[in-house]
Amino acid sequence: MSTPLPSVHEPAASAAPMRLAGPGAGAPRPPLDVLGVVALAATVCLWSAFALSERALASSTLKPADAALIRFGLPVVLLAPALWKRRRQYGGMRPGPAIKIAVGGGVPFYLAVTYGGSWTSAAFVGALVPGLVPLFATLLAARGRRAPKGVQGIGLGLIGLGAVSLVAPEVADVNGRTLTGVGLLLLASGLWALYTVGLRETNLDAVSSTGLLCVPTFAGVAVLVLTGVLPSTVTHAAPHDVLLFLLLQGLGTGVCSGLFYTVAVQRLGSPRCTTVGSLSPVLTAAAAVPLLGEALTPPVMTGTVLIAAGVILANRTAASKGVRRRPVQRAASP
């Protein structure tokens, strides 16, 4: 999932003086950008599709390594000409951010989220992995600063409370398999936060950052498969499973989600996109009921809604103050 995106914070609308409607009262509000809305809706659907496909992998004929080869390999093939033109951008990069990107979003992350999803549920993947990223990213970026307060503090608190609501019933039942899966998903979320921090330390565009993530990850997974460290069944997997992951993860998550989200941010603004994008865990939990036969239990509903609300509050702090900050890069969902 995933490309760096410039976070553009727009001035608060309330800063302008209020005028009465009528002739000469001022310029009319611009119409809603249809292309931006469509791009944002497609992005949210693709984020949910990633979580659903990770859960469905457990019942497919593909192994996690096969899904990783598809997820990271197809973007490399499709974007190869554009990446070649941008090859000089990588020469002046500091090793620290590059390592954070390759480790945080690469092989360790993908294996953690894949095995964690196979032992839990799509709702857990959709809520815990992207939902806890703001919490982990805040901890990584703290470096002795004051603890978040106000709206951001409330948002991070809701995220933590939502995670506890999801996990608590499993702890009560002492389900070792599910608890291991939850631990892997928490690890995946922490790794994705590391990836996000790495992206903020670079000035790469969406295509270049995709290449920085996908090329070394694809190479690493390929080496692990060829040496027998990771099992693979891709050569005799069911064709419909291969096609499904090519469409959902290789093309959908690997290429389209980041590009669509970039279009949405440019046309609708970062605050609106962040707010709507935070609904993806809710969509994932709801879609898992008819598609995967999962139960939408009260703890799942409560935890998912709390995490989504927390992400909205944690990301809307700067926009609500009407402050224009230095543009930073934000990672889309995996």
Side-chain angles (χ1 to χ4, degrees):
M1 100 208 164
S2 314
T3 56
L5 302 166
S7 179
V8 182
H9 297 283
E10 302 166 335
S14 59
M18 183 177 296
R19 298 183 181 179
L20 297 175
R29 294 181 62 183
L32 189 64
D33 191 296
V34 176
L35 179 59
V37 171
V38 172
L40 181 57
T43 303
V44 174
C45 291
L46 288 172
W47 289 350
S48 296
F50 172 81
L52 293 169
S53 63
E54 284 298 300
R55 181 67 180 93
L57 181 61
S59 58
S60 76
T61 56
L62 292 170
K63 296 293 185 181
D66 302 325
L69 289 174
I70 293 172
R71 157 69 180 86
F72 297 102
L74 187 60
V76 172
V77 173
L78 295 180
L79 299 176
L83 293 176
W84 178 253
K85 292 180 180 179
R86 291 166 168 80
R87 63 189 182 278
R88 289 187 175 86
Q89 295 185 17
Y90 303 117
M93 281 196 62
R94 292 180 292 120
I99 293 173
K100 291 176 184 177
I101 291 173
V103 174
V107 178
F109 164 79
Y110 197 84
L111 294 179
V113 73
T114 299
Y115 284 105
S118 67
W119 293 337
T120 54
S121 67
F124 274 53
V125 176
L128 291 181
V129 178
L132 293 184
V133 167
L135 188 59
F136 283 116
T138 300
L139 294 176
L140 288 173
R143 298 179 182 177
R145 299 174 185 171
R146 295 179 181 178
K149 297 180 180 180
V151 176
Q152 186 183 23
I154 294 174
L156 295 176
L158 287 177
I159 291 173
L161 183 60
V164 172
S165 300
L166 276 174
V167 177
E170 305 299 338
V171 175
D173 294 337
V174 196
N175 188 328
R177 182 180 175 87
T178 304
L179 287 178
T180 302
V182 169
L184 288 173
L185 294 180
L186 293 177
L187 173 62
S189 184
L191 288 170
W192 196 256
L194 181 67
Y195 166 76
T196 303
V197 172
L199 287 177
R200 289 172 178 166
E201 297 173 354
T202 70
N203 292 317
L204 299 177
D205 61 23
V207 175
S208 298
S209 61
T210 298
L212 181 60
L213 171 64
C214 292
V215 171
T217 302
F218 175 73
V221 175
V223 170
L224 293 175
V225 169
L226 292 175
T227 56
V229 176
L230 292 178
S232 172
T233 58
V234 69
T235 56
H236 51 275
H240 63 84
D241 286 342
V242 176
L243 179 60
L244 178 65
F245 277 82
L246 278 172
L247 292 176
L248 290 182
Q249 293 212 10
L251 184 61
T253 303
V255 178
C256 294
S257 66
L259 299 179
F260 287 166
Y261 193 69
T262 301
V263 173
V265 169
Q266 291 173 346
R267 290 179 170 268
L268 301 177
S270 179
R272 185 180 297 174
C273 292
T274 301
T275 301
V276 177
S278 301
L279 299 178
S280 64
V282 180
L283 177 61
T284 301
V289 176
L291 294 179
L292 300 177
E294 296 184 0
L296 197 60
T297 62
V300 169
M301 289 188 292
T302 301
T304 300
V305 171
L306 285 174
I307 289 175
V311 173
I312 292 172
L313 291 178
N315 282 282
R316 286 180 63 85
T317 305
S320 65
K321 295 179 180 179
V323 177
R324 181 176 293 276
R325 302 186 305 179
R326 180 180 64 84
V328 296
Q329 292 182 312
R330 178 185 181 275
S333 174

